[in-house]
Amino acid sequence: MTTNPVVSIVCTSYNHGDYLADAIDSFLMQETTFDVEILIYDDASTDHSPHVIKQYENKYPSLINPIYQTHNQYSKGVRVELFNHNRAQGKYIAVCEGDDYWTDPYKLQKQVDYMEAHPSCSMTVHAADRVLSDKKKVLSTVRPAHGNAVFSMERVIEGDGDLIATNSMVYSKEKIAVLAPFYLNAVVGDYRWLF
């Protein structure tokens, strides 16, 4: 396993078998000047997700570190995103669920470069397209801003969960080391990441 990753890519999956290869390939295409680790958590999928993950794990054993649950934890009320968050070794955490993927091979490099140059920044995001899963046809674009912007907490709240795409987030593990109680009780999973 990568011993000193700068970025931990965290991927939570449940029955994403038809999409996981796209997600993992997008992690592997990242061109960086630093090491990354890929942490995949499968919550006892009933489709072919574990098989897809296992193929990549066998091919990239020093890079991909999965957890395969045998019983679905989410249905028991367990916060499954914490499995990857808590074991992440990177200074930064990049989020991409198993049914999402990235298209820019320099995504992580750009976001980490920005955060390194701006130490007070706790998270970076970017525009993202919503696509029709079987045809990859763009349905809409989530665009937090036109050009670069710094968001206040008020602006994020006013965005009502539709301001930022989850798979665009890279955040500082140190600055978000302890997840607040409201995070653990939030109804919408993606929205709570913004705080």
Side-chain angles (χ1 to χ4, degrees), residues 7-192:
V7 174
S8 299
I9 300 169
V10 298
C11 178
T12 300
S13 177
Y14 176 73
N15 287 347
H16 291 154
D18 291 344
Y19 317 107
L20 268 167
D22 286 338
I24 299 170
D25 286 340
S26 77
F27 307 156
L28 295 170
M29 78 170 184
Q30 293 300 302
E31 296 186 29
T32 63
T33 59
F34 47 80
D35 289 338
V36 300
E37 66 177 348
I38 301 171
L39 306 177
I40 303 174
Y41 173 85
D42 183 76
D43 198 22
S45 291
T46 58
D47 69 354
H48 58 286
S49 296
H51 177 71
V52 173
I53 298 166
K54 182 57 93 174
Q55 286 181 312
Y56 281 94
E57 178 189 12
N58 289 340
K59 192 170 182 180
Y60 303 97
S62 65
L63 191 58
I64 296 177
N65 184 3
I67 291 176
Y68 302 97
Q69 286 291 354
T70 54
H71 296 94
N72 184 273
Q73 300 300 300
Y74 180 80
S75 65
K76 297 177 182 181
V78 175
R79 304 312 312 203
V80 296
E81 57 277 301
L82 294 179
F83 284 101
N84 280 335
H85 177 86
N86 291 340
R87 68 188 180 127
Q89 298 297 308
K91 179 178 180 181
Y92 302 106
I93 296 180
V95 181
C96 190
E97 295 177 350
D99 59 348
D100 293 331
Y101 62 95
W102 300 329
T103 58
D104 183 349
Y106 301 101
K107 168 204 160 48
L108 293 180
Q109 186 69 56
K110 291 174 190 176
Q111 289 181 274
V112 168
D113 285 349
Y114 183 89
M115 294 182 79
E116 287 289 300
H118 301 86
S120 64
C121 178
S122 59
M123 181 171 64
T124 58
V125 299
H126 55 75
D129 292 329
R130 289 190 179 109
V131 298
L132 191 61
S133 62
D134 59 343
K135 296 181 178 61
K136 297 203 176 142
K137 177 184 174 189
V138 175
L139 299 175
S140 64
T141 299
V142 177
R143 188 173 310 280
H146 293 285
N148 293 333
V150 175
F151 294 110
S152 67
M153 185 60 67
E154 291 79 17
R155 175 66 183 105
V156 172
I157 292 169
E158 289 168 2
D160 197 27
D162 200 32
L163 180 68
I164 298 168
T166 304
N167 69 331
S168 76
M169 295 188 296
V170 173
Y171 65 89
S172 165
K173 185 172 184 192
E174 176 186 326
K175 289 184 175 60
I176 309 179
V178 178
L179 298 176
F182 74 84
Y183 166 84
L184 298 173
N185 296 318
V187 177
V188 179
D190 292 357
Y191 190 47
R192 63 181 173 235

